[in-house]
Amino acid sequence: MLHLLLEHSLPLTAMKTIILVLLFALFMNLAGFAQQFPEYGLLTKEEISLKECAFDKEADAVVLIHEAISNYDDQRRLVTYHHVKLKILTSKGFPSASVVLPFYRQNEFETIDQVDGMTLNSSENFQVEKSKLERKSIFTQTENERIGKVVFTFPAIQAGSIINYKYRSTMKHYGGLEDWNFQERLPVLKSKYKLFILPNVEFAYRVNKSPELPIVVKKVASEGSVNFEMQSIPGLGNEPYMDSRNDYLQKVTFQLSGFAMGTQNSKKYMTSWDEAIRELLNTKEFGSQLGKNIPGTEEFLNKVRAIASPEEKMKSVFNYVRSGMNWNGLYSKYSVDGVKDAWEKKTGNSADINLILTNLLKDAGLEAYPMLVSERFHGKVNISYPFLDQFNSVFVCANINNRKYYLDATDKTIPTHLTPVDILNTTAFVVNRKAGGLVNITNDTAKYKESISLALKLAGNGLLSGEVTVASYDYARISKLEEYKTDRNIFLNKHFKIDGAVISPADLQLSNIDNDSLPLKQHAKFSTNLNTTEDFSFLPLNLFTGFGVNPFLSEHRFSNINFGYGRSIIVNLYLQLPANYVLDELPKSIKLTNPEQDIAFIRQLSFDKESNSVSCMLLFDFKKSLYEADMYPVIKEMYQKIFTYLSEPLVLKKKA
């Protein structure tokens, strides 16, 4: 989908206007914003009569209105009042009556209070019954050291219920100003946001939206505000092989771009990427951590310096750091307490660990730089705007023999020669005065690659027995290994199921687990009864391929299709039939390609009458890793054809 970017700057406010706006804002905050939400607690006949969302007919709930106003108080804190009205259309929409409001709890940066809510149920004669959200039903919970959440569930929910709630968010300063998302997981009838600009501060804003969805933007200079409104916005959930959902939301993004210093001078914030590098390198929590000696590592480094191969040096240092440090699960661009403290504690956030890795790689005599990344779940980087908030973590870029290696020592599985999956098809930012700048992380060589061999034998009574050997290379290796280490039973159920039966854990053997230069081998013996009628047995050909369910069934798609890497899977199957069975009909051999010829599917079958055996070869070849959303119809059609052929079984007939 094409998105329209509307870029504007909210100008520095003149001093006389500033005083008037400040007095106005103080009055508004003292009085509260309750009067700004006249729809709170009220229903219209149209809302009561609403049975389905006209532009999203499959929706089980719909947001009637989400509106908010952001202003500042006498302490120049950012104060935002929210109001949400939502209708439950069917019983499947009941989960929408459970609300989670996340907030930044670290250093008490943000608080949420003044939570109020009610459930409104109406009768056929439009009589409305209100069920109040009780205070004892509102809970504040801790997600982690940075994030807290306020949670509550509305009472008296039924199909047709309308829930109303409002709350206040207070942040210590305007640095916490967040994007305003017009689009949500549910369809939204109306979304409104009003922002009062802090005096002496300049904000830039960008509107990211589809061309077919209109927006109203209104600046009110007299009160120093800007208003945004959109209507009839379809819901956006998680689509298969989606980047960050946040990349595709209809939204307005704000960024602090400068603030006045006196009547004439003003300071701009990071107007270029070079300036962003200088800013980072002058930061205590980032630049000052580079070049630090890591205590107790000199003996190890002396051994590493004696290694002739620079690639082996890099691998040795990488494994040393990731085996010696534990990641605390926090993504960060900064080492808050310093790399030495993290090394002594043997635990740290992503910046702690990868800045340590950067230092040790340099101490080993290698060229290495810290690199800011925005992992795929975090969202795309707009290279036109040198805003560091676009990045969520620190990786390492090592340059050896004119090849760049991208390293993340928080990952316990990935080898050094593979780029971490979470940054494939993203833009990163190398932080170095001479060799720094933006870099596109693409992958042209390594794939998700597997070779699958099946030797099957059908007994006269219809019992199928056999052996399967799977060799997983590159991204297939690390994906399978991570899943296996996480939960063996889920791994078996996902990858080793035949005709509905799951291979026993005792029958599966893995080899090359600790040698990342070799493929991960998976071998299993099994036996199962085929799906059988009186005279026929049916053998599925789609065995252990990973193509179990077609992910592309939706009529429409908002997001790009990002596989991350290319895929190459080949299956060779041999079936020995008993004397009392024959092949009823041999499926046709076929070859499918899309118009661009970057996707190919081949099925070849042959029958040997003399040995009464069947051979089958399946080949899946996906050369590209990223497709724009407007290519979805082509991808959908291709997948539909592939799964049609995969669903055709071998039909085996018992002789009379």
Side-chain angles (χ1 to χ4, degrees):
M1 172 183 287
L2 295 175
H3 288 75
L4 181 64
L5 292 178
L6 305 178
E7 303 170 7
H8 294 278
S9 180
L10 307 179
L12 298 171
T13 314
M15 291 305 285
K16 290 182 179 179
T17 305
I18 289 171
I19 295 172
L20 292 174
V21 172
L22 181 58
L23 292 173
F24 174 79
L26 289 176
F27 170 77
M28 289 297 294
N29 278 314
L30 289 172
F33 284 95
Q35 69 272 26
Q36 298 296 325
F37 300 142
E39 293 191 38
Y40 182 72
L42 301 177
L43 298 182
T44 65
K45 288 185 177 181
E46 290 77 15
E47 290 171 341
I48 294 173
S49 303
L50 184 68
K51 302 298 182 184
E52 68 175 16
C53 178
F55 53 89
D56 199 341
K57 295 184 183 297
E58 296 181 359
D60 298 309
V62 58
V63 177
L64 301 175
I65 187 169
H66 184 183
E67 54 186 337
I69 301 173
S70 291
N71 208 332
Y72 50 90
D73 60 11
D74 56 352
Q75 301 175 54
R76 299 171 69 89
R77 297 180 301 179
L78 174 64
V79 182
T80 304
Y81 287 82
H82 289 260
H83 167 227
V84 178
K85 187 193 295 186
L86 182 151
K87 182 162 189 177
I88 308 293
L89 299 174
T90 72
S91 59
K92 291 182 179 179
F94 286 177
S96 296
S98 296
V99 179
V100 178
L101 306 175
F103 64 95
Y104 297 99
R105 62 180 292 270
Q106 192 171 35
N107 300 321
E108 298 181 339
F109 179 78
E110 181 184 10
T111 58
I112 286 180
D113 61 4
Q114 297 188 15
V115 178
D116 189 69
M118 65 185 77
T119 303
L120 300 103
N121 290 310
S122 59
S123 59
E124 292 182 358
N125 60 1
F126 298 103
Q127 294 296 313
V128 176
E129 179 181 346
K130 296 183 179 181
S131 301
K132 190 75 172 176
L133 176 67
E134 297 183 3
R135 294 292 176 188
K136 64 181 182 181
S137 301
I138 302 171
F139 304 95
T140 300
Q141 301 174 352
T142 298
E143 183 78 17
N144 53 49
E145 67 181 48
R146 296 180 300 112
I147 304 297
K149 56 187 179 182
V150 174
V151 298
F152 48 90
T153 300
F154 283 88
I157 293 298
Q158 59 190 39
S161 293
I162 294 178
I163 63 175
N164 255 273
Y165 63 93
K166 58 183 180 179
Y167 64 95
R168 180 178 71 173
S169 160
T170 304
M171 296 183 178
K172 286 186 175 180
H173 53 73
Y174 261 60
L177 184 63
E178 298 177 323
D179 300 346
W180 177 258
N181 294 328
F182 302 103
Q183 192 170 36
E184 303 183 21
R185 294 187 183 277
L186 298 175
V188 179
L189 296 188
K190 184 185 291 185
S191 179
K192 299 169 59 179
Y193 183 57
K194 184 172 188 174
L195 172 67
F196 287 85
I197 309 305
L198 194 67
N200 291 357
V201 170
E202 182 174 320
F203 277 93
Y205 70 85
R206 292 184 295 118
V207 175
N208 182 41
K209 75 175 194 67
S210 300
E212 63 267 23
L213 293 177
I215 185 172
V216 175
V217 181
K218 182 181 179 182
K219 295 181 183 180
V220 184
S222 61
E223 64 180 24
S225 71
V226 59
N227 300 263
F228 306 89
E229 182 175 331
M230 288 184 73
Q231 297 187 26
S232 302
I233 311 130
L236 177 61
N238 291 322
E239 297 177 322
Y241 298 102
M242 190 180 194
D243 296 322
S244 170
R245 176 177 170 273
N246 191 51
D247 288 335
Y248 303 96
L249 290 173
Q250 318 297 297
K251 63 181 178 180
V252 56
T253 300
F254 301 96
Q255 175 68 34
L256 178 67
S257 56
F259 93 80
M261 304 174 68
T263 56
Q264 296 180 341
N265 298 323
S266 65
K267 178 181 178 181
K268 294 287 183 179
Y269 285 90
M270 286 181 278
T271 57
S272 70
W273 290 107
D274 287 340
E275 189 174 342
I277 290 175
R278 289 193 297 271
E279 180 80 16
L280 277 168
L281 293 179
N282 289 329
T283 301
K284 176 183 176 183
E285 295 83 4
F286 191 95
S288 297
Q289 302 306 313
L290 296 173
K292 294 260 187 191
N293 292 324
I294 307 301
T297 60
E298 193 58 35
E299 182 179 350
F300 165 76
L301 288 170
N302 286 334
K303 293 179 180 178
V304 171
R305 292 178 186 121
I307 299 174
S309 166
E311 289 84 3
E312 288 300 315
K313 283 184 180 180
M314 174 183 65
K315 184 176 179 179
S316 181
V317 174
F318 180 68
N319 289 331
Y320 178 69
V321 174
R322 73 172 175 180
S323 62
M325 290 293 295
N326 293 311
W327 181 42
N328 61 14
L330 297 179
Y331 302 93
S332 181
K333 300 185 291 291
Y334 305 102
S335 177
V336 178
D337 296 321
V339 293
K340 288 187 176 181
D341 182 76
W343 181 256
E344 289 175 3
K345 293 177 179 177
K346 299 303 179 188
T347 186
N349 62 36
S350 59
D352 293 324
I353 293 172
N354 285 318
L355 289 176
I356 289 171
L357 176 60
T358 304
N359 289 338
L360 290 179
L361 287 169
K362 288 184 174 181
D363 289 342
L366 299 173
E367 183 182 353
Y369 312 108
M371 179 175 77
L372 297 190
V373 300
S374 178
E375 294 172 278
R376 276 162 53 187
F377 72 85
H378 186 256
K380 290 185 176 68
V381 172
N382 188 324
I383 63 174
S384 301
Y385 293 85
F387 299 156
L388 297 182
D389 286 347
Q390 297 184 91
F391 304 96
N392 73 304
S393 190
V394 177
F395 280 37
V396 181
C397 175
N399 193 357
I400 297 176
N401 295 328
N402 294 321
R403 175 183 172 182
K404 287 184 171 63
Y405 294 84
Y406 304 113
L407 309 175
D408 175 24
T410 69
D411 191 322
K412 302 292 186 182
T413 305
I414 196 163
T416 55
H417 66 273
L418 289 181
T419 300
V421 176
D422 287 338
I423 63 168
L424 288 171
N425 296 324
T426 70
T427 301
F429 182 44
V430 177
V431 184
N432 182 266
R433 285 191 174 91
K434 293 183 178 180
L438 297 168
V439 57
N440 292 321
I441 310 292
T442 57
N443 172 49
D444 300 323
T445 53
K447 285 186 173 185
Y448 183 104
K449 184 179 179 181
E450 284 196 315
S451 174
I452 303 166
S453 298
L454 284 154
L456 308 177
K457 185 175 183 179
L458 186 67
N461 60 2
L463 180 70
L464 181 74
S465 60
E467 295 184 44
V468 57
T469 301
V470 181
S472 302
Y473 302 81
D474 294 341
Y475 289 109
R477 171 191 164 81
I478 62 171
S479 175
K480 290 281 191 72
L481 192 54
E482 285 178 352
E483 292 173 349
Y484 179 79
K485 289 180 176 179
T486 301
D487 192 309
R488 192 175 185 183
N489 289 326
I490 293 179
F491 172 81
L492 284 165
N493 191 63
K494 180 178 179 180
H495 299 291
F496 289 93
K497 184 185 290 186
I498 178 168
D499 213 20
V502 179
I503 291 176
S504 167
D507 294 330
L508 177 68
Q509 295 179 335
L510 267 68
S511 56
N512 301 333
I513 291 178
D514 298 320
N515 191 337
D516 57 27
S517 63
L518 296 174
L520 179 69
K521 288 288 186 70
Q522 305 132 76
H523 179 266
K525 295 182 179 180
F526 59 88
S527 62
T528 186
N529 290 304
L530 292 179
N531 183 15
T532 302
T533 64
E534 185 175 348
D535 296 319
F536 296 93
S537 293
F538 304 91
L539 174 68
L541 295 176
N542 185 16
L543 297 173
F544 314 119
T545 63
F547 285 78
V549 179
N550 186 353
F552 302 123
L553 297 175
S554 299
E555 286 298 317
H556 306 287
R557 187 176 175 103
F558 281 91
S559 64
N560 295 339
I561 301 168
N562 190 347
F563 294 114
Y565 36 67
R567 288 172 294 166
S568 178
I569 301 169
I570 186 167
V571 181
N572 285 293
L573 179 151
Y574 176 83
L575 172 65
Q576 179 65 59
L577 296 174
N580 62 331
Y581 271 84
V582 295
L583 185 66
D584 184 60
E585 184 178 355
L586 186 70
K588 295 180 180 178
S589 294
I590 57 96
K591 180 178 181 180
L592 289 176
T593 58
N594 64 329
E596 291 74 21
Q597 296 190 347
D598 49 45
I599 299 177
F601 172 72
I602 298 174
R603 183 183 72 181
Q604 293 180 347
L605 293 110
S606 62
F607 176 65
D608 189 321
K609 290 185 179 180
E610 186 175 341
S611 61
N612 200 27
S613 63
V614 180
S615 295
C616 175
M617 188 276 289
L618 301 176
L619 174 66
F620 307 81
D621 189 23
F622 293 76
K623 293 183 173 63
K624 278 183 65 175
S625 62
L626 180 67
Y627 294 88
E628 299 293 329
D630 56 11
M631 286 293 294
Y632 178 66
V634 176
I635 303 300
K636 180 185 176 185
E637 182 183 5
M638 188 68 181
Y639 263 73
Q640 188 175 33
K641 290 179 180 179
I642 290 174
F643 274 86
T644 297
Y645 286 114
L646 287 176
S647 66
E648 294 181 3
L650 278 179
V651 182
L652 310 172
K653 185 177 181 180
K654 186 180 292 187
K655 292 181 179 179

